[in-house]
Amino acid sequence: MSVNSPRVAMITGGNSGIGFATASKLAAHGFHVIMASRNQQTSAQAIARMHARHPHASVESIPLDLASFASVRQCAAAFQAKGYPLHVLINNAGGSIPGKQARFTADGFELTFGTNHLGHFLFTNLLLDNLTRSAPARVITVSSQLHIPGYAGGKPPDFDYDNLKGEKYYDANVFYRNSKLANMWFTYELQRRLTGTGVTSNAVCPGFVPAAIAERRTSLADRFLYKQILARMPFARSLEQASTSYMVAATDPDLEGVGGKFIVDGKERRSSEESYDEQKARRLWDSSWAWCGVGAIDL
């Protein structure tokens, strides 16, 4: 298959929720869009929905399970075999894994941290050569303001390297915040390493999006709660609003060549003080590099 569009965007988890809303906008914006998603049946349905809205949309899907390093490598290899350029990579998939006990990825890492951070860390590094050869290009990683201590009254992250697998205790909310802080460290450290390549790295917070959460709930009561009640709260964001923030990061001309930013509601915001700690960011990078078993990559 050849790509008629001069621009290619790949988004993880692009078959539902904010990812699908963003993928649809990218296609309407003229991108050839690749959904890197775990459920290929859902992806096929999403592509059919997109074509119903935009008959000329250029879109396809590649299997990706971020909770498996083998799947991440297979997805990157499948993309590279197509010979496409890559102008925008949106690290969107993930979320919070509920429960009182830790669950684990195929490689033995706590599932929230492993999916939200490690899977995307490996995926991005495997695609860096594609991005740099396609420059100017952009990497956008989805984080959350919940990594900021005290935001929305929540507990601050507790990034304890001796408890990343729940060895001492497990709290789903803390582990989610840890993963979002890791996303910020990754974003900023990646930007420092990309200096001079023509590729930028920014983070986005989509806000609280009840419609996206409702899609992942199986209980009718939960779906009603998120779609009909919480969606009306003043702090809630619609899929349209959340995907607009993604599109600002992906396409705004003012961000051409500009990286190391945290974008909330389409505008630059300051992230937590801890997120700017370069020593901690480097430690996480080096640890993630070892955990993922990434080979030598020259920028």
Side-chain angles (χ1 to χ4, degrees):
M1 174 182 175
S2 63
V3 175
N4 293 324
S5 169
R7 295 177 296 171
V8 176
M10 181 148 54
I11 179 168
T12 66
N15 58 2
S16 64
I18 309 168
F20 176 74
T22 304
S24 297
K25 288 184 177 181
L26 286 166
H29 208 75
F31 282 90
H32 175 73
V33 178
I34 299 173
M35 298 176 179
S37 306
R38 184 174 54 183
N39 189 324
Q40 290 303 286
Q41 181 178 355
T42 303
S43 293
Q45 294 168 350
I47 291 172
R49 285 163 53 205
M50 190 183 297
H51 281 150
R53 299 179 186 179
H54 310 290
H56 301 294
S58 180
V59 58
E60 63 181 292
S61 178
I62 300 177
L64 170 65
D65 181 355
L66 288 162
S68 164
F69 291 160
S71 177
V72 171
R73 291 180 179 278
Q74 289 166 4
C75 182
F79 169 78
Q80 289 162 343
K82 293 177 181 292
Y84 296 167
L86 183 58
H87 303 97
V88 175
L89 172 62
I90 303 180
N91 293 321
N92 162 74
S96 176
I97 310 301
K100 296 183 179 180
Q101 292 186 329
R103 295 164 57 190
F104 300 93
T105 68
D107 304 281
F109 297 92
E110 188 276 325
L111 191 55
T112 301
F113 179 75
T115 301
N116 292 357
H117 168 63
L118 287 177
H120 282 127
F121 175 89
L122 176 59
F123 195 49
T124 304
N125 274 288
L126 292 173
L127 295 172
L128 280 183
D129 186 54
N130 302 89
L131 288 158
T132 54
R133 283 191 279 107
S134 307
R138 305 184 188 193
V139 178
I140 297 141
T141 301
V142 178
S143 184
S144 169
Q145 291 183 94
L146 288 171
H147 83 280
I148 300 173
Y151 180 81
K155 296 179 182 179
D158 178 20
F159 208 92
D160 182 351
Y161 278 87
D162 294 325
N163 192 49
L164 289 183
K165 296 183 181 181
E167 297 93 332
K168 298 177 181 178
Y169 76 93
Y170 181 74
D171 181 314
N173 292 325
V174 170
F175 272 68
Y176 177 74
R177 289 180 171 85
N178 279 345
S179 75
K180 296 294 103 177
L181 176 58
N183 290 151
M184 297 307 307
W185 279 332
F186 168 67
T187 294
Y188 294 154
E189 182 62 18
L190 179 61
Q191 176 59 35
R192 286 187 283 270
R193 292 168 183 258
L194 288 172
T195 300
T197 65
V199 184
T200 58
S201 170
N202 289 304
V204 167
C205 172
F208 175 62
V209 188
I213 299 172
E215 287 190 17
R216 300 194 295 268
R217 295 292 190 266
T218 57
S219 164
L220 291 177
D222 280 354
R223 289 186 178 183
F224 179 82
L225 172 65
Y226 282 100
K227 284 188 174 182
Q228 302 299 327
I229 299 177
L230 294 179
R232 299 178 182 178
M233 297 293 102
F235 53 81
R237 297 290 181 269
S238 66
L239 291 172
E240 169 66 24
Q241 290 170 318
S243 58
T244 294
S245 286
Y246 283 41
M247 289 299 291
V248 168
T251 65
D252 192 326
D254 290 341
L255 286 175
E256 189 66 61
V258 178
K261 305 298 181 182
F262 183 42
I263 300 166
V264 182
D265 290 332
K267 299 179 180 179
E268 181 184 347
R269 298 282 178 85
R270 188 166 178 81
S271 53
S272 70
E273 292 303 315
E274 190 173 14
S275 71
Y276 295 105
D277 190 316
E278 294 186 20
Q279 184 175 355
K280 290 183 177 180
R282 285 194 297 271
R283 181 184 179 186
L284 177 65
W285 184 282
D286 291 342
S287 297
S288 301
W289 191 271
W291 293 330
C292 292
V294 185
I297 296 175
D298 296 323
L299 294 180

